[in-house]
């Protein structure tokens, strides 16, 4: 046996997040790869391997084309890069809406093949029953109400929800059904002012907001958005860095150096060993 002590770090798990209702705000970001997950791990309670990966990493127009295999591959990378944060994998469009058994089979596969601590399902009107089925069988589930990106084809566009009384009631009842079904937390995305506060008061599970006001129990952003990787970001995003300019500047400097034969210099070059004189 090795005499070296191994550092054992306990990962944050669903009951820890659940216990933060009304307490210290829960810090969440999306992650899709190992090096970024390693950078985020010290600062975040929860890393979501969002199906936004389709848009922000793979250049898709929406999340509908994201597959289970893509989520598993990115989930494995995020698990390898992180030690402490809870890792939650988004279930992609078409992987859970077909019924409870289909959902269980796919969620169990994701949990086994990634080692993540939970999954996220967009909680449309029919999903509460599926969430209860999964939770009863040992799968921690985070719900997602309000603007549901996977419904973009029926909605016609990514539009904020809860601007009419009818819509407010619908989103509220979806959040209540999701919480009652046993979700350990509920993401609220893109809702009009006041609705997230009402939901946060009404349900006994932590709410995680994205474009949903400061009234939630925690916040999440899509990491490349908050790091300023794109030239456009939605209204609710605060940019904490301008990586787009920084990367553009670095790549232009590299291209100039290559063209002018300034790169590589001697210090960046391997030389053969000098012969040893007799
Ligand atoms: O896929 C994703 O990144 C998400 C967040 C926007 C919550 O679902």
């Amino acid at each position: 046996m090795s005499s070296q002590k191994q550092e054992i770090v306990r990962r944050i798990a669903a009951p820890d997040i659940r216990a933060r209702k009304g307490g210290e705000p829960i810090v969440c970001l999306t992650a899709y790869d190992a090096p970024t997950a390693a950078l985020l791990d010290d600062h975040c309670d929860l890393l979501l391997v969002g199906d936004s990966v389709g848009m922000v990493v793979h250049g898709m127009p929406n999340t509908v084309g994201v597959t289970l295999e893509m989520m598993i591959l990115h989930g494995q990378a995020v698990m390898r890069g992180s030690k402490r944060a809870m890792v939650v994998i988004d279930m992609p469009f078409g992987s859970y809406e077909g019924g409870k058994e289909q959902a269980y089979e796919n969620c169990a596969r994701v949990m086994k093949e990634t080692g993540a601590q939970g999954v996220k399902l967009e909680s449309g009107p029919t999903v509460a029953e599926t969430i209860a089925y999964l939770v009863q069988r040992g799968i921690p589930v985070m719900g997602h109400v309000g603007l549901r990106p996977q419904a973009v084809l029926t909605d016609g566009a990514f539009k904020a929800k809860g601007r009419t009384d009818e819509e407010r009631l619908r989103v509220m009842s979806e959040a209540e059904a999701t919480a009652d079904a046993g979700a350990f937390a509920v993401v609220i995305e893109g809702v009009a002012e006041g609705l997230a506060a009402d939901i946060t008061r009404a349900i006994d599970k932590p709410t995680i907001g994205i474009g949903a006001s400061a009234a939630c129990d925690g916040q999440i952003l899509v990491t490349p958005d908050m790091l300023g990787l794109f030239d456009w970001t939605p209204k609710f995003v605060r940019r904490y860095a301008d990586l787009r300019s920084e990367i553009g500047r670095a790549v232009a400097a590299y291209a100039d150096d290559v063209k002018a034969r300034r790169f590589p210099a001697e210090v960046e070059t391997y030389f053969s060993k000098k012969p040893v004189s007799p």
Side-chain angles (χ1 to χ4, degrees), residues 16-33:
D16 304 310
I17 299 292
R18 163 76 189 82
R20 298 270 290 272
K21 175 73 189 174
E24 192 193 341
I26 304 161
V27 181
C28 316
L29 280 172
T30 65
Y32 316 103
D33 60 70

Side-chain angles (χ1 to χ4, degrees), residues 29-32 48-53 56 63 71 90 120 122 142 144 149-150 187-189 208-210 220-223 236:
L29 280 172
T30 65
Y32 316 103
L48 172 70
V49 186
D51 62 351
S52 51
V53 69
V56 300
T63 58
M71 297 311 301
D90 234 349
K120 175 166 83 60
E122 293 190 8
M142 180 155 89
H144 182 152
Q150 291 176 11
V187 170
I188 307 176
E189 177 167 357
I208 314 285
I210 173 161
I220 185 162
L221 283 174
V222 170
T223 300
F236 59 81

